[in-house]
Amino acid sequence: MTASPDEVVAIRSDDDVVRVRARVRAAAQAVGLGAVDQTKVVTAASELARNALVHGGGGEARIERVVEVRRRGLRLHFVDAGPGIADVAQAMTDRFSTAGSLGLGLGGAKRLSNEFDIASTPGIGTHVTITRWRAA
């Protein structure tokens, strides 16, 4: 597997969430994701960027183009140094929210991704990685 150099977008405001969406869409187009896959990865990125802003107090999104022997795609990392998630399994449950939202962000992002990984430590922060592969 090879990966292009990362592009990093700081997430400090609502404008940065919009910037993450635009950069992810451009990267998705560059790796050849179709319109449906672009929409899925941009929607997932928007949810995760918003989570980093609202729950993590800000953070960053790292956008990485990945190429394997038979496929290519986009891998996104969302990192914050917020309070972390005490119970990740509960946070992944639809309709669970600590912010009065619909509680669909993490679970929705997972459903919109081909690969999903989350690591969170209370008092340290949260790191979510998603990957969307181009359809063959």
Side-chain angles (χ1 to χ4, degrees):
M1 177 178 73
T2 61
S4 67
D6 296 343
E7 177 180 1
V8 178
V9 181
I11 303 169
R12 303 277 184 257
S13 69
D14 289 334
D15 288 344
D16 293 332
V17 175
V18 173
R19 197 173 350 271
V20 167
R21 290 177 58 93
R23 298 280 175 80
V24 168
R25 180 166 304 281
Q29 291 170 340
V31 297
L33 292 182
V36 172
D37 288 330
Q38 288 178 37
T39 299
K40 288 180 178 181
V41 74
V42 168
T43 301
S46 183
E47 291 290 340
L48 296 172
R50 179 133 329 268
N51 278 355
L53 179 63
V54 172
H55 300 288
E60 67 181 29
R62 203 168 66 229
I63 303 165
E64 177 183 33
R65 296 174 199 159
V66 290
V67 178
E68 292 185 350
V69 173
R70 296 183 183 204
R71 61 184 180 174
R72 64 180 55 204
L74 204 57
R75 182 163 293 138
L76 309 173
H77 304 267
F78 294 86
V79 180
D80 69 64
I85 302 170
D87 187 338
V88 171
Q90 184 181 37
M92 293 297 300
T93 305
D94 283 347
R95 295 184 202 35
F96 175 80
S97 174
T98 58
S101 66
L102 294 175
L104 300 173
L106 285 175
K110 182 176 182 179
R111 287 188 293 275
L112 293 168
S113 304
N114 296 123
E115 297 172 13
F116 180 95
D117 184 63
I118 182 169
S120 187
T121 304
I124 302 294
T126 302
H127 184 160
V128 180
T129 303
I130 63 171
T131 305
R132 185 80 200 172
W133 295 107
R134 185 174 78 179

